[in-house]
Amino acid sequence: MSTTNCLSPQAAQTFIEALPHNIRAAVLAYAVETDYPVEAVLEMAIAFFLDMDCAGFGDCRTESPGQMLAQIELLQAQQQDR
């Protein structure tokens, strides 16, 4: 299996076929509506799930929600110490 920075059309097709019908239909409709390849729509959906402020995988943070919560708590504690 080759690794690249982008989801291949073949991998996207396999992934799409495994999705529940309503999600598959929404992804395909969005791809048609925006004229984006299905693989790009899938990548954006996953990236958005991981980081709601990102536009794609390139600017997606990969910290877990637990790591992010710990960082927030640390920042709040530092702010209170001021």
Side-chain angles (χ1 to χ4, degrees), residues 45-52 54 57 60-63 68:
I46 294 167
F48 186 76
F49 171 78
L50 295 172
D51 178 1
M52 292 173 35
C54 74
F57 274 137
C60 179
R61 292 181 303 228
T62 57
E63 295 114 351
M68 292 172 64

Side-chain angles (χ1 to χ4, degrees), residues 5-55:
N5 290 335
C6 298
L7 186 63
S8 72
Q10 298 82 8
Q13 184 62 36
T14 300
F15 190 80
I16 281 287
E17 290 171 1
L19 291 172
H21 175 72
N22 59 332
I23 297 172
R24 180 181 330 129
V27 168
L28 294 173
Y30 187 83
V32 169
E33 177 183 317
T34 59
D35 199 29
Y36 287 163
V38 173
E39 54 272 22
V41 173
L42 289 172
E43 285 185 19
M44 288 187 297
I46 294 167
F48 186 76
F49 171 78
L50 295 172
D51 178 1
M52 292 173 35
D53 295 329
C54 74

Side-chain angles (χ1 to χ4, degrees), residues 61-72:
R61 292 181 303 228
T62 57
E63 295 114 351
S64 71
Q67 289 172 315
M68 292 172 64
L69 181 59
Q71 290 173 357
I72 291 169

